[in-house]
Amino acid sequence: MAGLEAAANKEGKLNVIALPRDWANYGAVLDAFMAKYPGIKVEEQAPNSSSKEEIAAAEINKGTDKAPDVFDLGTSVTLGSLDKFAPYKVAAWDKIPELNKEATGLWTSDYTGIMAVGYNSTKFGEITSLDQLFDPKFKGVVAVNGNPNEAGAAYNGVVMASLANGGSLDDITPGVNYFKKLNDAGNMFLGDVTSAVVTQGEVGVVIDWSYLQTGYAQGMSAEGTDWKTFVPEGAAIGSYYNQAINLDAPNPAAARLWQEFLYTPEAQNLWLAGGARPILLDTMIKDKTVDQASLDALGGATPPVSQTAAQTEKSKADLLVQWKQITG
């Protein structure tokens, strides 16, 4: 670690991408890293990019000092981008479950949340089921966070809708059919979902991660509006995001030092404080290094269900064709 830190300080820079500061408490994570390693300047690139756009940025900037050093990716994009990653195993490698890491270290899961339906209850009243969203009063205001072929949040919104409509982790077609019907009814918002469009009322319902719904609620509260959430019965879906190092990282030592930091109790507890379930949560509970107040606020240690890598691979291939029924 001393040698790695010295090499990273010599590079003096770390390029991160697609890390909004209000996403899973990433602002606090970034600030903690910079406080711990003041000799490394962190360049926060394109915070609102999708997972697919992260990979595109690496390709476009390959061979330059602008290329991202590290990625934080949804599972479907991760599995389709293995040739872009450099293998690396963090010190905490043995504490990470086998299903949550690639055997040679190409990627490692970092955190997850629960997919939830957030909505403006001041304007629309109480919502308890996805079927209610076919009401004409929701015309053009129901959104998923991104394109499910590009963004992990949107992809898992489709999986959640599938589970809520008789589908399974093996078959997400009912979820696609649900959104097709919703779009045919004129109720879907297909633009980019940001805190601004939610606060301004362009979007009244957002299917997104629980740790992002907290941010929407805070923004709406400042406007005097009540933002509530619910999880459809039998559809508590989670999906870990994954860390990976760019094979062509301009700052490879800083990239590895960042990875090491993320798998410390300090960083894992910061994600937990942001409403996300970190991958080392079970270990931290056992070792008594978990922040108990944050764990209590999360609602306990029980994880949501998640697709396996094989299920994600199959669903991803199907979705490339199926989602075109909605977007054209």
Side-chain angles (χ1 to χ4, degrees), residues 1 7 11 97 106 108 110 170 211 213 299 310:
M1 283 299 297
E11 291 170 349
L106 290 178
T108 310
D110 45 19
D170 292 305
Y211 49 79
Q213 299 289 359

Side-chain angles (χ1 to χ4, degrees), residues 24 29 32 260-272 278 284:
V29 175
E260 291 290 355
F261 175 73
L262 293 181
Y263 292 91
T264 62
E266 179 183 0
Q268 296 272 306
N269 273 316
L270 288 173
W271 275 329
L272 182 62
M284 293 195 299

Side-chain angles (χ1 to χ4, degrees), residues 123-301:
K123 182 174 182 178
F124 296 110
E126 186 177 15
I127 307 174
T128 58
S129 78
L130 293 179
D131 287 343
Q132 289 175 256
L133 300 182
F134 290 108
D135 191 303
K137 71 181 180 180
F138 295 107
K139 186 174 180 62
V141 300
V142 181
V144 292
N145 191 355
N147 181 325
N149 285 314
E150 301 179 2
Y155 171 82
N156 282 284
V158 177
V159 180
M160 182 201 73
S162 179
L163 294 180
N165 284 277
S168 68
L169 296 176
D170 292 305
D171 180 18
I172 66 169
T173 301
V176 177
N177 292 340
Y178 170 81
F179 284 113
K180 184 177 186 305
K181 288 174 59 179
L182 197 64
N183 191 54
D184 289 345
N187 288 6
M188 284 199 69
F189 174 90
L190 295 175
D192 291 333
V193 176
T194 65
S195 296
V197 300
V198 174
T199 303
Q200 294 165 8
E202 292 182 61
V203 170
V205 180
V206 182
I207 297 172
D208 210 343
W209 293 118
S210 51
Y211 49 79
L212 295 183
Q213 299 289 359
T214 301
Y216 298 143
Q218 291 172 345
M220 296 300 276
S221 178
E223 299 294 321
T225 301
D226 193 14
W227 186 265
K228 293 184 177 181
T229 62
F230 76 95
V231 177
E233 185 175 354
I237 181 73
S239 178
Y240 280 94
Y241 276 77
N242 306 286
Q243 287 293 321
I245 296 173
N246 185 358
L247 182 62
D248 298 299
N251 306 291
R256 286 157 175 77
L257 188 64
W258 168 252
Q259 298 290 289
E260 291 290 355
F261 175 73
L262 293 181
Y263 292 91
T264 62
E266 179 183 0
Q268 296 272 306
N269 273 316
L270 288 173
W271 275 329
L272 182 62
R277 176 189 168 87
I279 190 62
L280 295 177
L281 181 58
D282 291 343
T283 293
M284 293 195 299
I285 292 172
K286 180 181 178 181
D287 294 345
K288 302 188 186 308
T289 57
V290 70
D291 182 271
Q292 192 61 46
S294 295
L295 180 60
D296 292 343
L298 185 68

